[in-house]
Amino acid sequence: MTQASLHPMLNVAIKAARAAGAIINRASMDLDILKINTKAPNDFVTEVDQAAEEVIIETLLQAYPDHGILAEESGRTRGNKTSEFVWIIDPLDGTTNFIHGFPVYCVSIALAHRGVIQQAVVYDPTRNDLFYATKGRGAYLNDKRLRVSKRTRMSDALIGTGFPFRKGDNFKRYVKMFEEVMQQCAGLRRPGAAALDLCYVAAGYYDAFFETGLQPWDLAAGSLIVTEAGGLIGNFTGESDYLYQREVVAGGPKIYGQLVQILTPYTRVIKAEEETATAAAAKPAAKSAAEAVAEDAAPKKRAAVRIKKSDNGAPV
């Protein structure tokens, strides 16, 4: 797709991503003076994250002042909270890489309409690589059409992942997954920026990707880029409910199916159809897309969690 043929909303997102990328690139040349705050152990935010997010939001709202915003650093404080259009923004995915000078990080911007991702941009400022997609029109890297890998055997597959890093993450569960996948594939990689990982699946660099603990802004743009490149994305049981479930698997169709089979026993998605139906009946009929996105992104209090067990009966 040439720039002239891009959807107007995608063009605005690209403009915003490039503006944020310029801020990130300038800051990367002087990391010694960078101010870093800790949101939680091993979870960092810099003044660059905040400046990049600000320029993205300003660019988007200047073009579409009535749209909603869900951003990693500022949440829902900006934009129209009742709009059916919601921009989902990660201004700097891979902050830990960035502050160490490890050149794997990106800007991620997606537009959801009534909860469905319609436009997506992931920009890698260190390589000047622009991944983008419009729903129904394919996925691209710069001007090149993307297609997922055609590999069909897990033993040939290169698979991307992300390690848990927050206090309270289930490290033992992850190590079991890691061990099982590692023994069945050709190799595992962990560069450290999930939005780029999903783009690597779309480009065929990886045959598949899986991770736990991700937020909507980590996944929103990359998920559309994967599907528009012919890939599949879901939770560990292969269902499409992944954006707010904190577990995701993506890949070319054959490897995706095999990886889902491996990961299904490790799912933490809670099945509660009856509770969901009851809650839906009790809810007001109308809810804006912005409210739905923010509500789903908020931490949930859940009762009666079912722990999945492995074949030997031990909790996983």
Side-chain angles (χ1 to χ4, degrees), residues 30-40 42-50 92 95-101:
D30 229 340
L31 290 173
D32 290 345
I33 63 168
L34 195 64
K35 290 178 185 168
I36 303 166
N37 295 312
T38 303
K39 293 193 278 190
N42 300 330
D43 197 1
F44 306 104
V45 60
T46 71
E47 56 193 340
V48 179
D49 295 72
Q50 292 158 339
L92 177 52
T95 301
T96 303
N97 286 348
F98 173 75
I99 62 181
H100 286 85

Side-chain angles (χ1 to χ4, degrees), residues 158-177:
L158 182 65
I159 293 176
T161 189
F163 303 149
F165 61 90
R166 297 178 185 89
K167 189 176 179 180
D169 284 344
N170 192 332
F171 294 93
K172 288 182 178 177
R173 169 186 166 225
Y174 185 81
V175 168
K176 287 181 182 178
M177 283 190 276

